[in-house]
Amino acid sequence: MDNEIQLISDGDGLTVIGSETDVERFLVSEGLSSKDLGLRRLKSVAGTGALVAQAGSDIAAESACWVKLTRESAQVVKKYGLRESSETGLSTGVVKGPMGQIRGFVEFASGPRSLLGNPAVLAHAAGIMAQLAMQQTMDEITDYLATIDEKVDDVLRAQVDAALSDMIGAELVIEEAMTIREQVGRVSEITWSKVQATPGTIAATQVYALRRLDALAEKMERKAKIGDLAEAAKEAESKAQEWLAVLARCFQLQDAIAVLELDRVLDAAPEELDRHRLGIRIARQNRLDLISRSTERLVARMNGAAGAANAKVLLHPTKSPAVVQSSNHVVGGVHDFQGRLGIESGRRPSETRGWAAAAAEVRDKALETGAKGVGAARNLGNETLDRASSVKGKLSSGIAERARRRRRDEEERDEEG
C-alpha cells in the first residue's frame, strides 16, 4: 500500500488509512487534526480472519486516523471527489502517488493488501467512525456542562421531579457500562442487559425538559405589559439554562447508549451492523431536529420580547433594557448549547435600544411630521387662494353679464316706446 491513502467519509467524519508515514504526510499536507481510529478493532471483525492472515505484516504497519468533518475538513472530501454508495451512505476513494497529487480514485476493491476490500471490515470501520463522532459530541457536552454558570449536578440531583430522579439512576448504569467497555473492549450480553432498559427513561426526561422550555416560551408570548414581560424574561434567564443542561445530559447519555449498542450488534449480529448504524444515524438526527425546533421557538419568543421592550423604552427606561438583557442571555445560552450538539442557528441576540436613541428617533419623526404638516398647510392655503380667486372671478363675470343684460333690455323698451 505504498504511497496509497484510502479515504472513507460517512458525512460526520473522515477516516484516513494507509502506512503510518503516508497517513501522517496526508494529514499534515491538508492541515487536519485527527484521532486514532483504533486499527486493532478492525482486525477483530468476525469473518475476516483469512483476510487478516493474508495481509500479514502489512496490516501491522498501517495507520487509521479519524477526522471530524467541519466546514474546512469537508472541503477535503469534496476536493478528492469521493464516491458515495447509495447502499451504505459511505463515500470512499483512494489517493495514489505523492501526497497532494491525485492520480485517480477507485472504489475499495478486494485484495490481499486492502483492509477495506471486505464489506464486513468496511461496515465495522463505519461503525467505529459513528462511535467516534458521538464520543466527540459527548466530550463537547462535558465541556459545556463544566463551563455553564449553574451547577448542573445540583439541578439534577435535587430530585425535585421524578423524571430527573429516574434519569440519574439510568446515568449511573450507563456510565458503569461504558467503564466496563473501556476495560474489556466489547459489550457482553451481561453488560448490555444492564442498560437496555435505560433509553425509555432518558427519552422521558428529554421530553420533560423540552416541555419546560416550551412553557417558558409560551409564558413570554402571553405577556403584553412590560412589567410582566420583564418578570417572565427574568424567569427564563434563570431557568432556561438549567433545562438546556438537562437536555444536553440526555443527549450525551443517548449517544453513550448508541455507542454501546453498536458494539453489542457487532458482537451478536455483525451482518446487521451497517443497517443498524444507519438506523441510529436517522434516530439521532430526529432527536436533533426535535431539540432544534423547541430551542428555536424559545429564541424566537425571546427576540420578540426584546423587540417589544425596545419599542416601549421611552415609557419604561429601566424595565425595557432589562427585558433585552435577559433575552440576550437566554439566546446566547441556546446558541452555545446548539453549537455543542452541532445544530446551526441563524438567529442572533437583539441590540438594546437606549432611551436617548429612542427619544432622538421620536424627535426626528416629530420634526418630519411637522415639516410635512407645514408643507400640507402651505399647499392647502395656496389651493384655497386659488379657489377663492376662481370664485371671485366667476362672481365678477356674473355681475357684469347681468348688467349688460339690463342695459339691453332698457334699450329695447325705449325703441318700442
Side-chain angles (χ1 to χ4, degrees):
M1 200 177 290
D2 295 336
N3 292 327
E4 179 177 290
I5 293 293
Q6 299 181 78
L7 303 176
I8 314 171
S9 173
D10 62 356
D12 294 320
L14 175 70
T15 291
V16 184
I17 299 177
S19 70
E20 186 174 352
T21 300
D22 288 339
V23 168
E24 184 177 354
R25 286 176 180 173
F26 178 84
L27 294 173
V28 171
S29 68
E30 297 295 342
L32 301 175
S33 58
S34 66
K35 290 184 176 182
D36 182 25
L37 181 73
L39 195 61
R40 292 181 180 179
R41 296 180 63 190
L42 289 178
K43 301 178 185 180
S44 65
V45 181
T48 60
L51 179 63
V52 172
Q54 198 172 19
S57 60
D58 286 339
I59 290 179
E62 287 182 359
S63 174
C65 292
W66 177 83
V67 178
K68 179 183 178 180
L69 280 188
T70 61
R71 289 183 179 179
E72 293 75 19
S73 57
Q75 293 301 315
V76 176
V77 177
K78 185 177 180 180
K79 171 183 176 181
Y80 288 105
L82 305 187
R83 299 173 185 173
E84 183 176 356
S85 168
S86 58
E87 185 175 341
T88 64
L90 300 175
S91 298
T92 58
V94 176
V95 181
K96 296 183 179 180
M99 294 305 99
Q101 297 182 16
I102 307 172
R103 292 190 179 180
F105 305 97
V106 297
E107 294 291 342
F108 288 117
S110 59
R113 306 189 68 185
S114 174
L115 271 178
L116 300 179
N118 187 302
V121 181
L122 184 57
H124 189 198
I128 296 174
M129 290 171 65
Q131 289 175 317
L132 287 173
M134 289 185 287
Q135 287 174 310
Q136 177 80 14
T137 300
M138 291 166 62
D139 291 341
E140 291 176 2
I141 291 176
T142 296
D143 293 339
Y144 165 75
L145 295 177
T147 55
I148 60 176
D149 295 335
E150 281 79 6
K151 297 295 183 181
V152 180
D153 286 344
D154 292 343
V155 176
L156 298 180
R157 299 187 186 282
Q159 299 187 18
V160 175
D161 301 295
L164 298 185
S165 177
D166 292 342
M167 189 194 76
I168 293 170
E171 174 187 351
L172 296 175
V173 173
I174 294 169
E175 288 180 347
E176 178 182 319
M178 290 293 286
T179 300
I180 295 174
R181 172 184 179 266
E182 290 298 320
Q183 294 296 319
V184 179
R186 59 185 287 267
V187 176
S188 67
E189 184 176 354
I190 294 176
T191 301
W192 179 246
S193 66
K194 296 178 181 179
V195 300
Q196 61 184 354
T198 58
T201 300
I202 304 303
T205 306
Q206 174 186 285
V207 170
Y208 184 81
L210 287 171
R211 287 177 177 173
R212 300 308 300 166
L213 288 177
D214 288 341
L216 292 175
E218 290 171 4
K219 182 175 288 188
M220 294 298 300
E221 188 176 19
R222 290 197 302 266
K223 303 302 181 182
K225 297 180 179 179
I226 291 298
D228 295 338
L229 201 58
E231 185 178 344
K234 196 65 179 177
E235 180 185 358
E237 182 180 2
S238 65
K239 295 295 182 182
Q241 196 166 58
E242 293 181 1
W243 293 114
L244 289 175
V246 173
L247 270 183
R249 187 57 174 149
C250 286
F251 198 85
Q252 187 181 47
L253 292 174
Q254 287 165 329
D255 272 355
I257 293 170
V259 169
L260 294 168
E261 195 172 324
L262 286 171
D263 271 358
R264 183 58 197 149
V265 172
L266 174 65
D267 199 45
E271 69 282 359
E272 297 179 4
L273 181 61
D274 218 35
R275 292 192 299 274
H276 206 86
R277 173 185 61 84
L278 292 173
I280 285 177
R281 183 184 180 91
I282 294 171
R284 189 175 190 268
Q285 187 58 53
N286 288 341
R287 291 201 307 273
L288 284 173
D289 291 342
L290 180 63
I291 292 172
S292 178
R293 287 193 297 270
S294 181
T295 52
E296 283 295 301
R297 189 158 48 243
L298 177 61
V299 167
R301 298 292 182 269
M302 299 308 298
N303 281 339
N310 271 332
K312 299 180 180 180
V313 68
L314 279 178
L315 298 176
H316 306 277
T318 302
K319 291 183 178 180
S320 289
V323 172
V324 177
Q325 183 178 2
S326 295
S327 172
N328 286 345
H329 188 274
V330 174
V331 172
V334 170
H335 285 162
D336 188 18
F337 164 81
Q338 290 176 330
R340 304 294 179 141
L341 269 62
I343 300 173
E344 293 187 1
S345 174
R347 299 181 183 271
R348 290 293 175 263
S350 304
E351 293 184 3
T352 304
R353 189 186 185 200
W355 188 93
E361 183 177 337
V362 170
R363 178 201 63 201
D364 293 342
K365 286 184 177 180
L367 291 174
E368 182 181 353
T369 302
K372 289 181 179 179
V374 171
R378 184 184 294 114
N379 292 336
L380 179 60
N382 292 336
E383 184 179 347
T384 302
L385 289 174
D386 292 341
R387 288 178 179 176
S389 297
S390 176
V391 170
K392 181 180 179 182
K394 290 180 180 179
L395 288 172
S396 299
S397 177
I399 293 171
E401 179 62 28
R402 285 197 295 273
R404 282 195 295 271
R405 283 201 300 269
R406 281 198 301 269
R407 284 197 298 270
R408 284 198 301 269
D409 292 341
E410 289 174 357
E411 289 174 354
E412 290 175 355
R413 283 197 298 270
D414 291 341
E415 290 175 358
E416 291 175 356

